[in-house]
Amino acid sequence: MPPLRLLVAHPDRDTEQAWQAALCTALPEASVEAWQPDSAPADYAVGWAVPAALFATQPALKAFFCAGAGVDDLLSSPEVPPQLPLLRIEDAGMGEQMADYCSAAVLGWFTRGADYARQQAQGQWRELPLQQRADWSIGVFGLGALGQVVVRRFEQLGFPVQGCSRSLLASGVVTLEAFLRRSRVLILLAPLTAQTRGLFTAQRLAWLPPGACLINVARGALIDEAALLAALDSGQLAAAQLDVFATEPLPADHPFWRHPRVHLTPHAAAYTVIGPAATQIAQRIRQLAQGRDVQSVTGWVRRDRGY
Ligand code: GLV
């Protein structure tokens, strides 16, 4: 049997080389090359933000492996052939980073980091009342591989935590309104799909308890950003920790940059950890090479669902 041929494409040259090396190690039986417009036909490709030409020049690909968790960009790209199976990374070290990021924000609010920083700036020595975990209920919206790790972290930290997902909403076990009304902290960890785009409108943000906090580590377009700003300005929301934005990089004149209640990071809450991610992809490629139906392979993207 001819050796499996794999292509790798990433806009950052060093990252591309790191992927190539990791996939060579994880799948020594395959040949792994960086994609070029004249690359010979390959069986599989792995990449992030890949050039559109990759798909046009590689019509024989059996599947494309997204080197990240979110496939919204791929699914909205007209260059990606509609029949090409897509698979995405599930956790592989990203969940722990998400849990670190979200718990750091919540513990900061819980221990009044910003309040004491303000007092320090004013040279003020004043002990603020102790807060109770019971008053800090955490709502995790999105219970996929990453959301589940975040839920477990907050359980370990002793906070009341509840989750909400597409399937829980569809089953009627929970309504979005009931979930939001119980969330002092709302954590967004759901994929961007036709159902979730713009889901968090002014009306829905108003379902959160007054003074709630929001963490978005999913995709900026889940929220109506103007409504979020209005909710922060009115005090309906006490704070927002934002890692993702409708437009990235965040435009220099965007009000989030200087808003006193917004803490932001440049889409850096969780990175793909190349070693474990390559191992995950290698396992899936072996399953496919052994004849397994792609639809039964973990990480396969259901296009009808959008993730
Ligand atoms: C990053 O945003 C990812 O989807 O992996």
Side-chain angles (χ1 to χ4, degrees), residues 30-72:
S31 95
V32 186
E33 289 162 38
W35 172 78
Q36 301 289 335
D38 60 354
S39 295
D43 300 287
Y44 302 104
V46 177
W48 181 257
V50 302
L54 182 146
F55 297 104
T57 59
Q58 290 290 327
L61 287 181
K62 295 175 191 143
F64 178 82
F65 290 83
C66 173
V71 288
D72 43 297

Side-chain angles (χ1 to χ4, degrees), residues 43-303:
D43 300 287
Y44 302 104
V46 177
W48 181 257
V50 302
L54 182 146
F55 297 104
T57 59
Q58 290 290 327
L61 287 181
K62 295 175 191 143
F64 178 82
F65 290 83
C66 173
V71 288
D72 43 297
D73 276 351
L74 274 173
L75 292 182
S76 63
S77 162
E79 283 86 13
V80 180
Q83 305 310 326
L84 177 65
L86 306 175
L87 294 98
R88 60 193 185 84
I89 298 295
E90 285 192 320
D91 189 356
M94 264 187 271
E96 187 180 41
Q97 297 171 68
M98 289 294 192
D100 288 345
Y101 185 96
C102 296
S103 54
V106 170
L107 289 173
W109 291 321
F110 181 64
T111 59
R112 302 185 183 273
D115 296 333
Y116 283 122
R118 256 191 309 276
Q119 290 193 182
Q120 181 180 351
Q122 292 160 2
Q124 201 179 19
W125 178 276
R126 185 159 67 97
E127 292 164 45
L128 297 171
L130 182 67
Q131 305 209 73
Q132 302 300 324
R133 277 176 165 69
D135 297 330
W136 281 82
S137 53
I138 314 291
V140 179
F141 183 77
L143 292 175
L146 303 179
Q148 289 176 38
V149 178
V150 172
V151 166
R152 274 200 300 278
R153 175 69 63 87
F154 282 104
E155 283 170 352
Q156 284 159 3
L157 290 171
F159 286 90
V161 49
Q162 48 154 355
C164 183
S165 64
R166 183 189 54 84
S167 45
L168 285 178
L169 288 172
S171 69
V173 169
V174 67
T175 65
L176 187 58
E177 179 171 354
F179 165 75
L180 292 176
R181 289 198 186 282
R182 287 194 302 260
S183 299
R184 167 90 181 260
V185 178
L186 171 64
I187 299 179
L188 301 184
L189 248 174
L192 178 63
T193 67
Q195 282 71 44
T196 61
R197 181 178 291 278
L199 183 65
F200 296 93
T201 56
Q203 184 200 2
R204 292 181 177 132
L205 291 175
W207 288 339
L208 291 164
C213 297
L214 178 126
I215 300 175
N216 191 2
V217 282
R219 288 292 184 263
L222 262 61
I223 311 184
D224 174 345
E225 289 186 341
L228 172 57
L229 272 170
L232 287 161
D233 286 338
S234 73
Q236 155 65 10
L237 284 184
Q241 175 73 49
L242 305 175
D243 186 52
V244 288
F245 305 90
T247 304
E248 296 182 8
L250 185 65
D253 59 352
H254 198 288
F256 284 156
W257 277 112
R258 273 163 283 277
H259 198 289
R261 297 173 193 260
V262 172
H263 310 276
L264 64 84
T265 46
H267 203 137
Y271 293 79
T272 300
V273 192
I274 295 178
T279 304
Q280 187 177 89
I281 290 172
Q283 278 165 356
R284 293 168 176 181
I285 288 181
R286 288 204 182 100
Q287 291 172 346
L288 292 171
Q290 284 160 7
R292 187 117 158 229
D293 179 3
V294 69
Q295 304 189 358
S296 70
V297 174
T298 341
W300 174 65
V301 174
R302 274 185 52 182
R303 288 175 185 249

